[in-house]
Amino acid sequence: AELHDPSDRRYRHAFITCTNCGPRFTIIEDLPYDRPATTMRAFALCDACATEYADPADRRYHAQPVSCHDCGPRLWFERGEDVVTGTEPALAAAIDCLRRGGTVAIKGIGGFHLACDATDEDAVVRLRQRKHRPDKPFAVMARDLLTASGLVDLDETGADLLSLPARPIVLLPARPGHSLAESVAPGLDELGVLLPYAPVQHLLLEALPLLVMTSGNLADEPLCFTDDDARARLGDIADGFLLHDRRIAVPCEDSVFTVVDRAELPIRRSRGYAPLPVLLDGPGAAEGPEPQVLAVGAEIK
């Protein structure tokens, strides 16, 4: 509500956050979780933010990523040697690039995404060729639940999953006649859909309601999460970079879930879930040797 309120001092602030939302795991460098132990220490609080941060009655009390237009991280857009600074000009440049069929590398909360217009077949094919990912489906970020419902069959479980604060990618049955480019998920009868979870995504999707939002890497490579690494490894894939100066300390991929018999089933448990524990139910879960669990991970996923 504040993000879209012209009378609010954080109107269209691309890093708006409060005590109950915003990055945590990806900005932490040490414990206890306090601003000096996060990558937010680079941004000195202005008087207004410092007052909110210190007030136990305020919704931003001890919100470590708290910031505003005056004291927070900054957005900019790079295309070759050209650099566009300022939130609105940078967003406008990124949106223009996407509308022209380009791919934009977007620095997010836990790493980079590669984004293009999910309704533009040529743009999606070009991204596949550059990313060396000929067949594997791309995730699509939809502006809101109504937009998502035009792509996939949404039951109550699927809608609830999409709407969780954790905002996972959810694999759901594709709706016949949807508006996405055929190459988003070629030959498949389901789509991976997610809703925006970072303010910069909300701002971009105001203009383009459906974006491919795939991991910022070449096929089978680790996720890019630093500016220099992204420029080096994504330079041949992206036509432009939407960057910010809040450093990512810990990379974190999007989580992926599916729905089986109206129950949620995790496929990749990451952003929004890790490193929270998995709670086990049943006899012996608390005091005995049962149940026995083997936990494995492949290539840091």
Side-chain angles (χ1 to χ4, degrees):
E2 292 172 335
L3 182 68
H4 299 293
D5 180 1
S7 67
D8 193 274
R9 72 186 191 90
R10 290 188 177 88
Y11 175 59
R12 296 180 64 82
H13 177 43
F15 305 91
I16 193 169
T17 181
C18 76
T19 306
N20 292 318
C21 71
R24 294 187 184 185
F25 176 57
T26 60
I27 62 171
I28 294 172
E29 293 187 300
D30 202 356
L31 294 175
Y33 175 52
D34 203 1
R35 193 173 177 105
T38 73
T39 60
M40 286 299 298
R41 67 177 177 273
F43 306 98
L45 289 172
C46 67
D47 290 345
C49 285
T51 299
E52 294 170 333
Y53 182 85
D55 181 2
D58 194 278
R59 60 192 300 261
R60 290 184 168 86
Y61 176 60
H62 282 189
Q64 308 308 341
V66 67
S67 67
C68 70
H69 289 289
D70 294 332
C71 66
R74 304 287 194 269
L75 273 184
W76 71 91
F77 181 80
E78 294 181 5
R79 187 164 192 166
E81 298 297 316
D82 296 329
V83 178
V84 179
T85 59
T87 296
E88 297 305 329
L91 285 169
I95 290 166
D96 180 66
C97 183
L98 292 165
R99 281 182 170 152
R100 292 172 181 268
T103 294
V104 176
I106 302 170
K107 185 179 181 181
I109 286 176
F112 278 78
H113 285 107
L114 291 165
C116 71
D117 183 348
T119 66
D120 185 332
E121 176 69 11
D122 291 339
V124 178
V125 168
R126 197 155 42 242
L127 175 55
R128 285 201 174 280
Q129 293 169 343
R130 293 175 179 178
K131 188 174 161 74
H132 302 163
R133 184 169 166 168
D135 301 307
K136 190 176 178 182
F138 285 142
V140 173
M141 184 171 283
R143 176 189 290 165
D144 49 32
L145 207 57
L146 180 62
T147 305
S149 69
L151 307 178
V152 291
D153 290 328
L154 270 182
D155 61 9
E156 185 177 357
T157 305
D160 287 347
L161 252 179
L162 280 172
S163 303
L164 285 174
R167 288 293 199 268
I169 298 169
V170 184
L171 302 182
L172 293 164
R175 187 179 289 276
H178 63 69
S179 59
L180 296 179
E182 184 180 347
S183 294
V184 166
L188 297 179
D189 59 1
E190 64 180 10
L191 295 168
V193 181
L194 77 162
L195 299 182
Y197 55 86
V200 69
Q201 295 164 354
H202 284 279
L203 295 171
L204 289 171
L205 269 79
E206 281 183 356
L208 291 155
L210 292 168
L211 291 175
V212 165
M213 200 68 74
T214 188
S215 299
N217 54 10
L218 274 171
D220 300 324
E221 285 190 358
L223 179 69
C224 292
F225 67 98
T226 69
D227 296 359
D228 288 343
D229 187 38
R231 292 186 188 103
R233 291 202 284 131
L234 304 181
D236 293 332
I237 305 176
D239 298 293
F241 292 79
L242 187 60
L243 301 172
H244 61 75
D245 55 357
R246 182 178 65 205
R247 192 165 49 83
I248 298 170
V250 184
C252 196
E253 291 263 20
D254 291 321
S255 295
V256 184
F257 276 68
T258 190
V259 177
V260 178
D261 294 333
R262 297 187 179 181
E264 58 186 69
L265 179 70
I267 294 173
R268 182 168 73 198
R269 189 176 180 276
S270 190
R271 180 187 50 74
Y273 296 89
L276 298 174
V278 178
L279 301 179
L280 303 176
D281 297 322
E287 67 280 345
E290 299 292 343
Q292 295 182 12
V293 176
L294 171 67
V296 298
E299 294 181 348
I300 75 169
K301 293 185 179 178

